[in-house]
Amino acid sequence: MSTPTLVRTLAGRAPALLREQQFRRYWTGQTVSLFGDEVSYLAVPLAAVFVLHVGATGMGWLRFAGLLPALLFSLPAGAWADRRGRRRQTMIAADLARAALMASLPLGYALGVLTFVQLSAVVFAVGTLAVVFDVCNATLLVSLMKPEQYVAGNSLTSGSRAFSFVAGPSAGGLLVQVLAAPLALLADAASYLASAWQLARIAPEEPPAAEPGKGRLTEGLRFIGRSPLLRAILACAATINLFNFAFNTLVVLYAVDELGLSAGTLGLVIGAGAVGSLVGAVVSGRIVRAIGVGPALTVGAFLFPAPLVLVPLAGGPTPLLLATFFVAEFAAGLGVMLLDIASGSLQAAVIPNALRSRVSGAFRTVNYGVRPLGALAGGFLGSAIGLRPALWLVTLAATLGALWLLPSPVPHTRELPT
């Protein structure tokens, strides 16, 4: 088969959305950016541990700094984004600013002036810009799809996130070993530039800017309050996130200090375990079609946090320890993709375009707002009762989040609302 024929054959087998130029460019930029974020997800705490010698409480404050902007700024950012319009231009500016901020950390390290204050300040500023980017992205993504493409589009974007879960931590761990943790953050800075470039090459038709008026700031919260579906999804997601981010605060310190894993080994194990996310992104569309979007969301809400109970069980010979980590990450990754794809599709169908950024901001205020509280609580729990007992507590508590869905309409919603 000739090369042009092979290219046409592969293109013909690509998902329909990826044959649409604007979505393909958007998806490419976000895939690269997500990969860079996962490198930073491992490199930032490792920089704190290896370069700045931070303990459990300091790790909690660092996670708190990165997650606090979601609590402080999501509501006003959503209202501002809907009022301003021109969301794509705002996203490009946020990407460029994040690239400059991330590049300041390896520069400070190279000059010998990197401090915990600088690291925390950059993490806070990048988190603030992420809020602005994400509330705009909620509307821009839907502007690139038709309603019947919501599940397919969410599967593709979640697949990108799953790929970043697989490759990002592994690459981050290796980059930390080769270059030192702060220098590895240059990869994330470059990924933001790639995202900005691809966004500059598309021109979707966005909803018009909202008219000024009273109540714009809280309109998203009121819409969620009136929707039994969104109320249950938000309560479930917020409970899982609260305890999962306490887990995330502790797990790197636990793996390095108590289990003796190196940065490279930890990155490879987490990356290999995240193959479950990739599998979940591939099969979630079929599961949604087979059992319905609401039942799939409910299954994912149980399957995401429950396997992480295996992490505080890890111990014994190194092969068994690594296998336990792998199974926990694999099963949790599969669950989170099912939860995210089903939840994202339901939200895309239920929320009107005119309110999308405001509802996204309100959703993030609660769902992401509990994350810094979880991170801070994880740090204090780790210091107070020890890393392993704290991991037991937060992983078991996270599994209770799915109970919010059971009395709601979610388990009985098989089709996307029209």
Side-chain angles (χ1 to χ4, degrees), residues 56-410:
T57 301
M59 290 288 279
W61 281 111
L62 183 63
R63 293 290 292 167
F64 181 80
L67 299 168
L68 182 61
L71 179 61
L72 297 179
F73 306 128
S74 291
L75 267 182
W80 176 79
D82 273 344
R83 179 68 186 91
R84 180 180 186 273
R86 302 192 300 277
R87 298 164 186 85
R88 183 180 64 91
Q89 291 92 330
T90 301
M91 293 165 68
I92 292 170
D95 271 335
L96 294 176
R98 286 189 288 180
L101 285 165
M102 293 305 296
S104 73
L105 294 175
L107 178 62
Y109 174 73
L111 296 175
V113 295
L114 180 64
T115 64
F116 184 71
V117 172
Q118 182 191 355
L119 186 62
S120 301
V122 167
V123 165
F124 178 83
V126 169
T128 301
L129 291 165
V131 169
V132 175
F133 184 97
D134 288 345
V135 296
C136 293
N137 188 44
T139 301
L140 187 76
L141 173 58
V142 176
S143 300
L144 293 165
M145 301 184 292
K146 302 179 180 68
E148 62 270 20
Q149 296 174 316
Y150 288 161
V151 173
N154 277 288
S155 295
L156 284 167
T157 54
S158 294
S160 296
R161 187 160 60 254
F163 172 75
S164 72
F165 290 164
V166 174
S170 302
L174 292 173
L175 285 171
V176 167
Q177 289 204 169
V178 173
L179 299 176
L183 297 179
L185 296 172
L186 286 172
D188 198 13
S191 76
Y192 289 130
L193 296 178
S195 172
W197 179 58
Q198 292 291 8
L199 287 171
R201 300 174 69 209
I202 65 174
E205 185 177 346
E206 300 180 33
E211 295 295 327
K214 293 183 178 179
R216 295 289 177 185
L217 191 64
T218 59
E219 197 163 0
L221 279 174
R222 294 200 304 272
F223 185 85
I224 293 172
R226 294 192 299 268
S227 170
L229 280 169
L230 292 180
R231 283 201 311 269
I233 293 171
L234 179 55
C236 169
T239 301
I240 293 173
N241 273 322
L242 175 68
F243 295 108
N244 187 248
F245 271 75
F247 170 87
N248 291 339
T249 297
L250 300 170
V251 68
V252 170
L253 201 61
Y254 171 70
V256 172
D257 283 2
E258 294 203 5
L259 301 181
L261 298 181
S262 67
T265 301
L266 178 61
L268 287 171
V269 171
I270 294 175
V275 171
S277 300
L278 200 55
V279 173
V282 172
V283 304
S284 288
R286 299 174 189 174
I287 295 174
V288 167
R289 288 190 293 271
I291 67 175
V293 63
L297 193 159
T298 306
V299 171
F302 278 108
L303 185 58
F304 168 32
L308 297 177
V309 175
L310 292 173
V311 170
L313 277 174
T318 299
L320 178 60
L321 186 155
L322 297 180
T324 305
F325 257 84
F326 173 84
V327 171
E329 293 288 339
F330 182 92
L334 198 156
V336 75
M337 286 298 108
L338 186 57
L339 173 62
D340 282 358
I341 290 168
S343 173
S345 300
L346 267 175
Q347 290 178 60
V350 169
I351 302 168
N353 274 335
L355 289 173
R356 202 170 294 278
S357 290
R358 274 166 284 176
V359 175
S360 174
F363 203 94
R364 285 177 57 94
T365 297
V366 180
N367 186 31
Y368 285 35
V370 299
R371 295 180 177 189
L373 304 179
L376 203 58
F380 284 127
L381 279 172
S383 295
I385 64 175
L387 296 176
R388 191 187 292 266
L391 285 170
W392 271 114
L393 179 62
V394 299
T395 51
L396 290 171
T399 62
L400 301 177
L403 297 180
W404 289 103
L405 300 176
L406 299 184
S408 79
V410 172

